Amino acid sequence: MRLYISCDMEGTAGVCSWVQCDPQGAEYPIYRRYMSLEVRAAIDGAREAGATECVINDSHWNMRNLLWDELPADVRVISGSRKPYSMTQGMDGGFDGIFFTGYHAAAGVRDGVLAHTYSSETIYEVRVNGVACSEALLNAALAGAQGIPLLLISGDRAIVDHVRGYMPWVTGVTVKDGIGHYSAQSLTPQAAQQAIREGARRAVATAREAEPFTFAPPYSLEIDTTRAEQADFIELMPGFQRVSGRTVRYDGSQDFHAVFRAFVAAMRLGGAATAPA
């Protein structure tokens, strides 16, 4: 089995503050290690159940977080930004399954720890065919468009429940329960790593029961920006239409790759609107 892992950090056990997952934060060195060890646990569990090759995409912040010496010597790691496909860079039809580790709830979700959707400065909500999407749902849909199923997700309870509501075959590993936005009741890092290892083993062992997650074409992408001036920039791109003050829409594509690229471009262009005029 060839496995792809997209790893984020806000859903790591113990994380409940930006100080812990911002590379400029004093606590960041501690929690990047916990993030790395959760990825290692997922790899170890997957291999115990028969996975043979692992590609890991570092998907948090500047995407240079993983401690390489905490990982097996024979994995491949995709590192750095700005990647054209961001959290899904390098994902292609050659994989047999996908893991998401350290994932978090979408913007606006109650009891979602550090909840946001790709960029809290630019994106408030993203909808595909009317369905409000987390990062996990968007990323799983891109995998599904290539016939690849999501097998495992780890993170806070809000994101695990969200994903399993759409993909009940996914093995969910809840490492913490949110208490509002900036606090959580969490497993210890060691307990979380053991739970992820066991979950990964189970996810690979039951992979034949999993299904690719997809939306039905033609696809309609709607983005609610955080501020109206961000929508001013996004509507300049071909294919986008302004729906309201903070909402833009990209309609009619039969190719989910095109939709995903449009979303990434919109997020980045919208972010440029926050720079001083």
Side-chain angles (χ1 to χ4, degrees):
M1 167 180 274
R2 190 166 182 251
L3 184 67
Y4 178 98
I5 301 175
S6 173
C7 56
D8 207 351
M9 191 171 185
E10 290 89 350
T12 300
V15 170
C16 59
S17 168
W18 295 116
V19 173
Q20 296 167 317
C21 54
D22 180 341
Q24 302 303 315
E27 298 177 51
Y28 170 77
I30 299 169
Y31 288 90
R32 74 183 296 198
R33 180 170 177 271
Y34 293 153
M35 172 193 180
S36 302
L37 290 173
E38 288 191 3
V39 173
R40 176 62 187 259
I43 295 167
D44 289 347
R47 285 182 164 174
E48 288 166 7
T52 55
E53 182 180 348
C54 294
V55 175
I56 303 119
N57 183 19
D58 191 331
S59 299
H60 174 69
W61 208 288
N62 59 15
M63 302 187 174
R64 302 191 306 271
N65 308 279
L66 288 171
L67 295 172
W68 294 59
D69 55 359
E70 298 288 1
L71 303 176
D74 59 345
V75 300
R76 301 282 290 182
V77 178
I78 302 169
S79 183
S81 59
R82 303 275 197 241
K83 300 167 187 166
Y85 280 88
S86 191
M87 299 178 78
T88 65
Q89 187 65 41
M91 180 193 293
D92 59 45
F95 292 100
D96 301 298
I98 305 288
F99 282 7
F100 294 156
T101 63
Y103 268 53
H104 55 81
V109 171
R110 181 177 179 179
D111 293 332
V113 182
L114 303 180
H116 64 281
T117 306
Y118 268 86
S119 169
S120 57
E121 295 179 353
T122 306
I123 306 294
Y124 180 72
E125 186 172 274
V126 182
R127 295 176 295 279
V128 176
N129 294 1
V131 176
C133 291
S134 60
E135 295 172 5
L137 212 61
L138 280 171
N139 298 348
L142 185 65
Q146 301 169 91
I148 313 168
L150 179 63
L151 304 180
L152 174 139
I153 185 164
S154 72
D156 64 7
R157 186 171 302 279
I159 191 58
V160 171
D161 288 351
H162 169 73
V163 165
R164 284 184 48 79
Y166 288 94
M167 293 166 264
W169 57 84
V170 171
T171 298
V173 181
T174 300
V175 304
K176 59 190 172 187
D177 289 272
I179 307 170
H181 191 78
Y182 291 113
S183 55
Q185 184 183 98
S186 178
L187 297 177
T188 64
Q190 295 81 4
Q193 291 155 30
Q194 182 59 33
I196 290 168
R197 184 170 184 159
E198 293 171 358
R201 187 188 307 120
R202 186 167 63 252
V204 170
T206 59
R208 290 186 179 181
E209 302 170 13
E211 304 171 15
F213 171 76
T214 59
F215 292 104
Y219 307 108
S220 176
L221 168 73
E222 285 191 329
I223 301 171
D224 295 341
T225 59
T226 304
R227 295 158 58 177
E229 58 265 37
Q230 294 161 337
D232 291 343
F233 273 40
I234 295 170
E235 72 168 329
L236 298 175
M237 288 194 295
F240 277 93
Q241 296 179 338
R242 190 72 166 263
V243 176
S244 65
R246 295 190 299 113
T247 303
V248 292
R249 184 169 62 218
Y250 181 90
D251 267 332
S253 177
Q254 299 284 333
D255 179 3
F256 197 78
H257 282 80
V259 172
F260 194 90
R261 289 195 301 268
F263 167 71
V264 172
M267 173 187 64
R268 292 180 177 157
L269 187 58
T274 61

